[in-house]
Amino acid sequence: MNDAFAVHVKTVHIKRLEVIMTKFSERLKELRQERGLKQREMAEICGLKLRGYQCYEYAASCPDFEGLVFLADYFDVSTDYLLGRTDCREVKRTNP
């Protein structure tokens, strides 16, 4: 792989992550507001400090895998919905 191609791939990847983080923060805020919760309340629910939760909504950071699954389960949406990969909130559950 030549250097120009590697830089291009990295640039595309970074832009895609920025889009995902922006969509995640928008959807998280929307879901929280639909439930009538304040950021402080969501931080407590998630076991985070207020600033840690705010970083999610401001697209400054994102949860780890376990945190993402927790949020999806809490709001009864799919992780794909939270990440902006689908506009369908419905969770398709299978019996384990």
Side-chain angles (χ1 to χ4, degrees):
M1 179 176 350
N2 67 37
D3 289 342
F5 181 72
V7 169
H8 171 73
V9 168
K10 186 173 183 176
T11 301
V12 169
H13 180 70
I14 289 170
K15 288 180 181 179
R16 179 148 171 75
L17 286 176
E18 289 172 355
V19 169
I20 290 170
M21 284 185 67
T22 300
K23 188 58 109 170
F24 170 76
S25 66
E26 291 169 357
R27 291 198 168 169
L28 183 60
K29 181 178 181 179
E30 177 184 339
L31 290 164
R32 174 184 59 79
Q33 290 176 335
E34 286 176 5
R35 294 245 178 137
L37 297 168
K38 297 186 182 317
Q39 287 181 336
R40 182 173 307 284
E41 294 169 315
M42 273 306 302
E44 290 174 13
I45 290 166
C46 295
L48 299 169
K49 293 184 178 182
L50 175 60
R51 185 68 186 134
Y53 177 78
Q54 288 173 330
C55 284
Y56 294 170
E57 284 197 14
Y58 301 149
S61 69
C62 55
D64 59 14
F65 176 76
E66 289 177 8
L68 181 65
V69 171
F70 174 83
L71 288 166
D73 287 347
Y74 180 80
F75 289 114
D76 198 30
V77 297
S78 69
T79 54
D80 279 349
Y81 176 78
L82 278 176
L83 297 173
R85 296 171 48 96
T86 182
D87 291 329
C88 179
R89 290 184 177 197
E90 182 180 329
V91 178
K92 295 179 181 168
R93 299 198 191 275
T94 58
N95 293 331

